[in-house]
Amino acid sequence: MDKFLQAAVSEALAGLEQGGIPIGSVLVYDGKIIGRGYNRRIQQGSPTLHGEMDALENAGRLPAKIYRQCTIYTTLSPCSMCSGAILLYGIPKVIVGENRTFMGEEDWLRSRGVDVEVLQEEACISMMENFIRSSPEIWNEDIGE
């Protein structure tokens, strides 16, 4: 597995260990992780703190030219909100761990010129399948059914 996707998986597992939803993300610039995060909706009681949003928040304020040279890695296909943030900041590339358990706004991102690569990484698929099976009520309150 790619080292940056592995870092996103590690973030997702950290969230799971805290009783949260196992979705992680890292923001990469010039071959280095500059922001990392995971879904903290449960832990923070937040409707918006998804993995990608947390990684962006943890990267801090950056000049637009930096975002335009970044790649964001996420264990799960990005939802409408996270895709909007990707577009807002002009992040040109998204690496997605998997989209079998949830299909986000990949087509929208592509239509706006974002390079979206989906890896269908088994570790990401099984992590989400296990979570959805064990905690359907938590999954369904947000981006699930």
Side-chain angles (χ1 to χ4, degrees), residues 11-87:
E11 291 295 317
L13 292 171
L16 184 63
E17 288 173 11
Q18 296 173 7
I21 302 167
I23 303 168
S25 183
V26 296
L27 185 65
V28 176
Y29 171 71
D30 197 26
K32 297 180 186 82
I33 296 173
I34 61 170
R36 57 178 65 232
Y38 51 88
N39 187 302
R40 296 177 194 258
R41 287 190 332 96
I42 302 303
Q43 300 92 314
Q44 300 293 325
S46 170
T48 59
L49 207 45
H50 288 192
E52 299 91 335
M53 303 301 277
D54 194 37
L56 287 166
E57 178 71 21
N58 290 328
R61 289 178 59 200
L62 300 169
K65 66 180 181 179
I66 300 293
Y67 292 115
R68 290 187 203 120
Q69 297 174 56
C70 286
T71 298
I72 193 163
Y73 289 74
T74 181
T75 58
L76 186 64
S77 186
C79 72
S80 302
M81 176 181 64
C82 296
S83 294
I86 289 164
L87 292 173

